Amino acid sequence: SQTIHQWPATLVQPVGSPLSLECTVEGTSNPNLYWYRQAAGRGLQLLFYSVGIGQISSEVPQNLSASRPQDRQFILSSKKLLLSDSGFYLCAWSVGFLRGTATEAFFGQGTRLTVV
Amino acid sequence: GNSVTQMEGPVTLSEEAFLTINCTYTATGYPSLFWYVQYPGEGLQLLLKATKADDKGSNKGFEATYRKETTSFHLEKGSVQVSDSAVYFCALSKNDYKLSFGAGTTVTVRA
């Protein structure tokens, strides 16, 4: 069966420090991968998605970047964190389409990032 | 573009009450529709889904029917429990690799 791992679960970082959040998927090949952010009490904002190695699409211009160095690895980074980067970051994967039907996404447990 | 509008709440209910959360969508053609649930401090879990018009998704006593004519996918449960307290998200996916989410509805069930 497929599983998704996301770490760390909690992170407190000072303003101006770098960030690296990692997500890996097991049990599937060539998944679509996603990074979402959820601000406190708010909905989900899609930050990046990737349909293949080295292919990254950015949804929102910001202080963050994403990379996909391997098929099932997705990394969210920042060179210098801002206070406004605080939030709950969620990684997700999907198979995209199955017999012409858009499929659901499966989420990791999330990383609570607090920038101080 | 594709979008989802859902009742924002918060919603507070007593145990065994009936729950309904409205969700409407905007999209061309026939998107796939989903309800996700998020318990405190956790990621999102898929609750149910429907991929074509008139499909009914169901799971754990929750149901939602894909209504093309009203572009709706309302979530219902006949008798809620305290353990159903969570945030519920309606979402859709079409042919652009992305899920579009509603704002989420916080549901609190009191004993």
Side-chain angles (χ1 to χ4, degrees):
Chain A
S1 64
Q2 302 89 358
T3 55
I4 179 169
H5 302 281
Q6 184 182 343
W7 67 93
T10 311
L11 193 59
V12 180
Q13 291 284 96
V15 169
S17 64
L19 172 74
S20 181
L21 302 181
E22 189 164 341
C23 172
T24 58
V25 179
E26 296 177 356
T28 188
S29 297
N30 196 31
N32 297 331
L33 296 172
Y34 308 86
W35 279 111
Y36 285 86
R37 178 169 60 197
Q38 185 177 25
R42 308 278 297 274
L44 282 86
Q45 179 185 39
L46 178 62
L47 302 176
F48 301 94
Y49 69 94
S50 170
V51 300
I53 296 175
Q55 300 178 58
I56 308 295
S57 296
S58 174
E59 287 294 294
V60 181
Q62 60 213 324
N63 186 41
L64 302 168
S65 62
S67 61
R68 185 171 177 172
Q70 300 181 44
D71 181 43
R72 292 169 289 177
Q73 184 185 28
F74 205 26
I75 298 172
L76 182 69
S77 304
S78 173
K79 292 182 179 177
K80 288 186 179 181
L81 284 169
L82 307 172
L83 286 174
S84 58
D85 291 323
S86 294
F88 192 50
Y89 289 82
L90 290 157
C91 181
W93 73 273
S94 79
V95 298
F97 295 94
L98 194 60
R99 294 185 290 276
T101 298
T103 60
E104 64 270 32
F106 299 93
F107 286 80
Q109 288 299 294
T111 296
R112 174 76 57 195
L113 172 66
T114 304
V115 182
V116 295
Chain B
N2 302 328
S3 67
V4 175
T5 301
Q6 69 176 97
M7 187 172 80
E8 289 201 20
V11 175
T12 302
L13 303 164
S14 298
E15 227 172 4
E16 299 183 3
F18 182 86
L19 171 68
T20 183
I21 304 175
N22 291 340
C23 171
T24 58
Y25 68 89
T26 301
T28 57
Y30 292 85
S32 296
L33 301 174
F34 312 95
W35 276 101
Y36 283 85
V37 59
Q38 184 181 32
Y39 299 103
E42 298 185 7
L44 275 69
Q45 301 175 27
L46 180 67
L47 182 59
L48 53 83
K49 66 180 180 181
T51 58
K52 59 182 187 293
D54 299 324
D55 263 2
K56 177 186 283 188
S58 61
N59 185 26
K60 298 181 181 180
F62 290 90
E63 292 184 339
T65 301
Y66 189 142
R67 301 288 188 197
K68 177 66 175 175
E69 63 275 16
T70 54
T71 62
S72 65
F73 192 54
H74 304 322
L75 182 69
E76 298 181 336
K77 185 173 185 181
S79 177
V80 294
Q81 305 300 313
V82 172
S83 57
D84 294 323
S85 298
V87 182
Y88 293 83
F89 291 93
C90 185
L92 73 80
S93 182
K94 204 164 176 293
N95 56 355
D96 60 355
Y97 302 106
K98 298 176 284 188
L99 261 72
S100 298
F101 283 88
T105 301
T106 300
V107 174
T108 302
V109 180
R110 296 185 294 199

